[in-house]
Amino acid sequence: MPTDWERQFGDSRDVIGVEDTQWTTPGTAKPSVGELFSRLSEQTSRLIRAEIALAKAELAEKAKASAIGVGLFVGAGLFGFFAFAVILTTVILALALVVPAWLAALIVAVVLLVITGVLALLGKRSLDRGMPPTPERATENVKQDVNAIKEGLHP
């Protein structure tokens, strides 16, 4: 299944020109040094642009997941505040009127606390998906590119 980056930019081999296997100009047996450096420069710049695009796409995905997590934590805080207010009301009613009204308030407080717990767990899960906010695939690709270049320089 293609990733978001592959859907947006296509296969990375297309971006860096891997399918370009003709290394000589028509009618010559070996490419000139100038031609080799020209191709190296062109492919290096395409590779760098592709890695930057991958990093941007990864950071956007992680930022989105983090924003959702923060929003869910805000919701959990809001429901927690109301749960605390209801618990206080329950204590007041229980002390003032030892009647069934406190039981109704306690039931509402428990429901609000359950909602708070669910929102907090969902928020934590979403934040965990967005952390750490580093472009892991792009970093790994750059390491592979550097290793490939090093291997190519050493015959």
Side-chain angles (χ1 to χ4, degrees):
M1 174 172 231
T3 63
D4 289 341
W5 187 86
E6 288 170 339
R7 280 193 294 274
Q8 185 174 2
F9 298 105
D11 189 2
S12 61
R13 291 174 296 210
D14 295 338
V15 175
I16 61 173
V18 169
E19 72 281 344
D20 184 15
T21 57
Q22 182 181 1
W23 286 95
T24 60
T25 55
T28 62
K30 293 182 180 179
S32 68
V33 173
E35 184 179 355
L36 289 174
F37 276 110
S38 172
R39 288 184 180 181
L40 175 65
S41 173
E42 178 186 332
Q43 289 182 354
T44 301
S45 65
R46 277 194 272 167
L47 177 63
I48 290 170
R49 283 193 300 271
E51 296 298 351
I52 290 171
L54 175 61
K56 284 181 182 179
E58 280 190 72
L59 289 174
E61 286 179 29
K62 291 190 179 231
K64 181 180 176 184
S66 295
I68 291 171
V70 167
L72 290 170
F73 268 130
V74 168
L78 181 66
F79 276 98
F81 172 76
F82 286 120
F84 182 70
V86 170
I87 288 173
L88 287 178
T89 303
T90 302
V91 170
I92 292 169
L93 288 173
L95 291 174
L97 300 170
V98 187
V99 293
W102 67 268
L103 186 57
L106 184 59
I107 290 170
V108 171
V110 168
V111 169
L112 287 173
L113 286 173
V114 167
I115 291 170
T116 301
V118 168
L119 288 176
L121 289 174
L122 290 173
K124 182 183 180 326
R125 186 181 310 154
S126 182
L127 279 176
D128 286 345
R129 273 186 270 147
M131 293 297 167
T134 56
E136 294 159 358
R137 291 183 308 207
T139 303
E140 183 60 32
N141 283 351
V142 168
K143 287 179 185 177
Q144 290 174 358
D145 296 340
V146 168
N147 288 335
I149 291 171
K150 285 180 182 178
E151 289 174 12
L153 293 176
H154 300 290

